[in-house]
Amino acid sequence: MPPKPEPPPESAVTRRSFLKGASLTVAAVGVAGPGASVARGARLEEDGVPILGPGPTAMKLEVNGVERSISAPPSTTLADALRDEIGLTGTKRVCDRGSCGACTVMIDGRTVDSCSMLAIDAVGRKIQTVEGCGTPEKPSALQEAFVECDALQCGFCTPGMVVSCTALLEQNPHPTREQIAAGISGNICRCGTYQNIFEAVELAAKKGGGRGR
Ligand code: FES
Ligand code: FES
């Protein structure tokens, strides 16, 4: 007859006691979490640090040279603020996770994915959207070149492409093919119009750059 297994010592952690302990720890964290953050909020308020949100918060954004006042939760992305609060729907929200570039805008002259930035972090900075690059009545040389070179199909990537190419031409008025490719490397065109976009940027460079005239 095989020997009977030894019973576990009193101090041993059994699977049952481990799970019981773990669930108590999770419950304790769940209970302590909000209380801790309330206490932290109270401490910040005592130190004179303003607590914003979670409800609508007033903010002023400078968009295309015009000051816009909005009221939105601090969790609002810049893309949502531009589209839903200000009504500038040229900025496209496609992937909403910083991977396609359709929502590209310029902040202080540098391109950013506006879906991946909070509107509140753009307060006090100069925001430029595709609407600020040129208008239907007064398009930029780049926008005209996009039309002339047929540099779009569905058009979803186009506003972001125009902003990225405008930024590129401002930094480098006569880019090479490689530099254009690097300039739009954060923008995906699912229709595959890259060749025509390269030609549009080269044509715009010959005609005077990306800005409205
Ligand atoms: S929508 Fe912002 S990167 Fe795609
Ligand atoms: S034109 Fe359709 S995604 Fe670029």
Side-chain angles (χ1 to χ4, degrees):
M1 195 181 190
K4 234 172 134 185
E6 289 278 315
E10 279 300 303
S11 62
V13 178
T14 63
R15 186 170 172 274
R16 180 182 293 271
S17 67
F18 172 78
L19 290 175
K20 206 168 149 190
S23 66
L24 280 174
T25 307
V26 169
V29 168
V31 169
S37 69
V38 167
R40 196 164 51 242
R43 274 203 309 280
L44 287 171
E45 258 179 341
E46 275 169 24
D47 291 345
V49 177
I51 307 294
L52 301 176
T57 299
M59 22 181 148
K60 287 189 193 337
L61 298 173
E62 188 190 319
V63 188
N64 302 328
V66 178
E67 188 176 88
R68 307 286 198 139
S69 298
I70 65 167
S71 179
S75 56
T76 305
T77 64
L78 180 56
D80 286 350
L82 291 168
R83 290 179 56 82
D84 304 338
E85 305 296 328
I86 299 176
L88 292 175
T89 53
T91 299
K92 298 289 176 261
R93 188 178 47 224
V94 178
C95 70
D96 210 14
R97 59 188 61 198
S99 63
C100 75
C103 63
T104 303
V105 300
M106 276 188 251
I107 301 281
D108 295 336
R110 299 180 68 111
T111 54
V112 300
D113 291 332
S114 60
C115 72
S116 301
M117 174 177 189
L118 294 178
I120 205 160
D121 286 333
V123 170
R125 304 172 74 179
K126 292 186 191 318
I127 304 160
Q128 187 187 329
T129 68
V130 69
E131 289 90 347
C133 295
T135 63
E137 300 74 36
K138 206 174 170 189
S140 68
L142 178 67
Q143 287 169 321
E144 282 183 345
F146 261 66
V147 174
E148 203 170 317
C149 296
D150 203 15
L152 61 153
Q153 289 187 46
C154 77
F156 254 89
C157 73
T158 311
M161 284 288 186
V162 167
V163 173
S164 289
C165 295
T166 300
L168 170 68
L169 289 171
E170 282 180 3
Q171 289 156 16
N172 179 0
H174 298 285
T176 62
R177 280 274 162 124
E178 289 69 31
Q179 289 166 335
I180 298 169
I184 60 169
S185 58
N187 298 73
I188 295 173
C189 176
R190 291 171 176 84
C191 300
T193 55
Y194 296 105
Q195 178 65 28
N196 302 42
I197 291 169
F198 291 147
E199 288 168 11
V201 175
E202 287 166 348
L203 180 60
K206 279 191 208 136
K207 287 186 168 180
R211 284 280 161 193
R213 290 164 292 165

